[in-house]
Amino acid sequence: MKFQWIFQIPLEDVRTSPDVGDGCFLCGKKLKLKKYQVHLLTNGNLISSDEPFDNSQGFFDIGSECKNKLPNNFYFDSDS
């Protein structure tokens, strides 16, 4: 089993719009491509792991502008 440090940041520290609709999960802007995602937990934190995790709400699409504002280990390439 590979050990990996897991970090969390509160969603309210990085979300810029409460009304996201079907756009970017962090700012709400319309997405041209669904290329990046963040992993959200039920406690409202983003997590720095793309592995299955207890209390995960799943992965949500973000845009490239928001990706650039996050630490490298807090966004993941979308599989779609």
Side-chain angles (χ1 to χ4, degrees):
M1 180 176 177
K2 181 176 113 176
F3 181 77
Q4 176 183 4
W5 286 98
I6 305 292
F7 300 98
Q8 297 182 34
I9 53 176
L11 182 59
E12 64 263 10
D13 286 357
V14 293
R15 179 171 265 175
T16 60
S17 173
D19 181 26
V20 296
D22 62 353
C24 173
F25 182 67
L26 299 178
C27 72
K29 289 182 183 176
K30 185 176 179 178
L31 296 174
K32 294 177 184 175
L33 294 173
K34 294 184 177 182
K35 189 172 179 182
Y36 305 105
Q37 296 181 326
V38 290
H39 192 179
L40 181 67
L41 299 179
T42 56
N43 66 2
N45 289 344
L46 298 181
I47 187 169
S48 66
S49 174
D50 61 351
E51 299 295 320
F53 202 81
D54 290 342
N55 303 319
S56 173
Q57 291 190 54
F59 291 84
F60 296 86
D61 295 314
I62 62 168
S64 58
E65 286 182 33
C66 286
K67 174 206 71 123
N68 292 335
K69 296 175 184 176
L70 291 172
N72 287 341
N73 55 339
F74 278 91
Y75 64 85
F76 310 96
D77 288 335
S78 177
D79 294 330
S80 57

